[in-house]
Amino acid sequence: HLLVRYLPYPRARGMNLAVVQLRTPLLDVPRARAMLLAAVEQAVAARAELVLLPELCTTGYPLNSREEALSVAEPMHGGMTARMVQELLVRLGSEAFVAYGYPEVARDGRLYNSMALVSARGVEQNYRKVALYKADKPWASRGARHMLWDVKGLLVAPGICADGSDPDYWHYLAQAQPDLVLFSSCWVTDPVDPPEKWAVMTYFGAYLAAADRWGEDRGVPYPGRSCVMPPESEGETLLAAGATGDCILLCVVPSRG
C-alpha cells in the first residue's frame, strides 16, 4: 500500500479528494496500469470521491517521438486503461471519479497529452493539454480549449503541467471561477519549490490539487511535492508530499455553496 497523509474528513459538505503522487515505469504500460489501479483501489477504500493521478501516468514521461507515443497511446473511448478503471469502480460499487493522464490517439490520428475523467459509467470527460511543453511538441497536438467540469456539483478546471505556467490559463481561471483546479503534472525540477510556482492557480478563489511525478527518467528530474493548496495561497499547502516516494494525500475540498 502507498503511504497515506490525510486531514480528517470533517462533517462539512464537500468533496473527499485523493491526490496520488506516483512514479510509474517508463513505457511499461501494463505495469503502470497495475500501479494506477492499486492506488485507485486504496484511495476508494479511504472513501475518496475524486482521485487525481499524474500526467501521462500510464506511460511515464517524456515520450521522445510520435512513433513512440503512438505505440502506447489509447483512444478517448474504449481504451484499455479507461475500461480497467471503470471495471474496478463497478467491482468496488464506488461512485468515485478518477482523473489520470495518458497519451490519446484521436480518430483522425492526432495525438494529445490528455487527462481522462472516468467513473463506473465510463469516460465522463476528457481534457487535452493546451500549453505544450517542449518535450510534448515532437508528438502531441495542442488541445483546442480549456474546460470546466461539474463533478458532483463541484466546478473543476482541469490543467496539465505547462498549462499552469500559461497566462491564458490563468485568465481562464479568473473568468471561470472554479471551486477546484485539478492539476496533473510531470513538473521539471528547478530551484523554486513547486507549490510556490503553482500558487498562482489559487489566486482566483480555487483550491488546487496537484499530482506530480518524482524521480528521474531520460535525464529529466521530477520534484514530486504533490499537494493540496487553499485559495489565494502564497505557497502554503494543506497537505504536501515529499520530493520522493509514492503516496496518497486525502482531504476534503468544500463546495462554495
Side-chain angles (χ1 to χ4, degrees):
H1 282 207
L2 276 64
L3 174 69
V4 175
R5 299 178 181 178
Y6 69 96
L7 292 176
Y9 290 148
R11 295 186 180 183
R13 294 177 63 183
M15 176 77 73
N16 290 357
L17 172 68
V19 175
V20 181
Q21 177 165 295
L22 193 65
R23 185 186 181 203
T24 50
L26 189 65
L27 300 177
D28 187 344
V29 177
R31 186 174 163 213
R33 286 191 186 119
M35 294 174 67
L36 181 159
L37 292 169
V40 170
E41 184 164 7
Q42 186 177 345
V44 168
R47 296 191 290 131
E49 298 172 284
L50 176 59
V51 183
L52 174 65
L53 294 113
E55 176 183 15
L56 294 187
C57 68
T58 62
T59 61
Y61 194 95
L63 302 176
N64 279 350
S65 66
R66 174 178 169 79
E67 292 71 27
E68 184 172 85
L70 188 60
S71 73
V72 290
E74 303 180 56
M76 179 193 315
H77 295 285
M80 179 64 72
T81 304
R83 291 205 306 270
M84 293 176 76
V85 171
Q86 179 185 8
E87 289 168 1
L88 173 64
L89 295 174
V90 169
R91 178 172 64 80
L92 297 175
S94 174
E95 297 182 357
F97 290 78
V98 178
Y100 63 89
Y102 74 108
E104 176 196 349
V105 57
R107 290 181 180 179
D108 62 5
R110 292 185 184 182
L111 296 169
Y112 295 93
N113 184 335
S114 297
M115 181 197 297
L117 183 72
V118 178
S119 75
R121 295 180 294 274
V123 177
E124 302 275 0
Q125 299 281 357
N126 191 73
Y127 171 71
R128 293 167 172 171
K129 187 176 182 179
V130 173
L132 298 183
Y133 186 59
K134 61 184 178 182
D136 299 315
K137 292 179 180 179
W139 64 272
S141 296
R142 183 177 184 270
R145 62 188 177 92
H146 300 299
M147 301 179 74
L148 192 67
W149 300 340
D150 185 332
V151 182
K152 295 187 175 182
L154 200 74
L155 295 180
V156 175
I160 302 174
C161 205
D163 287 328
S165 301
D166 182 11
D168 288 341
Y169 185 60
W170 305 341
H171 181 68
Y172 175 77
L173 296 177
Q175 289 185 318
Q177 291 289 295
D179 299 306
L180 174 67
V181 177
L182 209 59
F183 186 64
S184 180
S185 184
C186 288
W187 197 261
V188 176
T189 300
D190 68 23
V192 180
D193 192 34
E196 293 183 34
K197 290 284 190 76
W198 300 335
V200 65
M201 291 180 278
T202 72
Y203 290 176
F204 313 106
Y207 284 78
L208 172 72
D212 198 23
R213 188 173 178 83
W214 64 275
E216 183 175 316
D217 289 294
R218 290 177 167 168
V220 180
Y222 305 105
R225 297 289 286 143
S226 301
C227 63
V228 180
M229 304 178 75
E232 302 179 12
S233 172
E234 295 294 335
E236 68 273 16
T237 62
L238 298 174
L239 279 173
T244 61
D246 297 342
C247 70
I248 300 175
L249 308 176
L250 298 169
C251 69
V252 170
V253 174
S255 59
R256 295 186 187 181

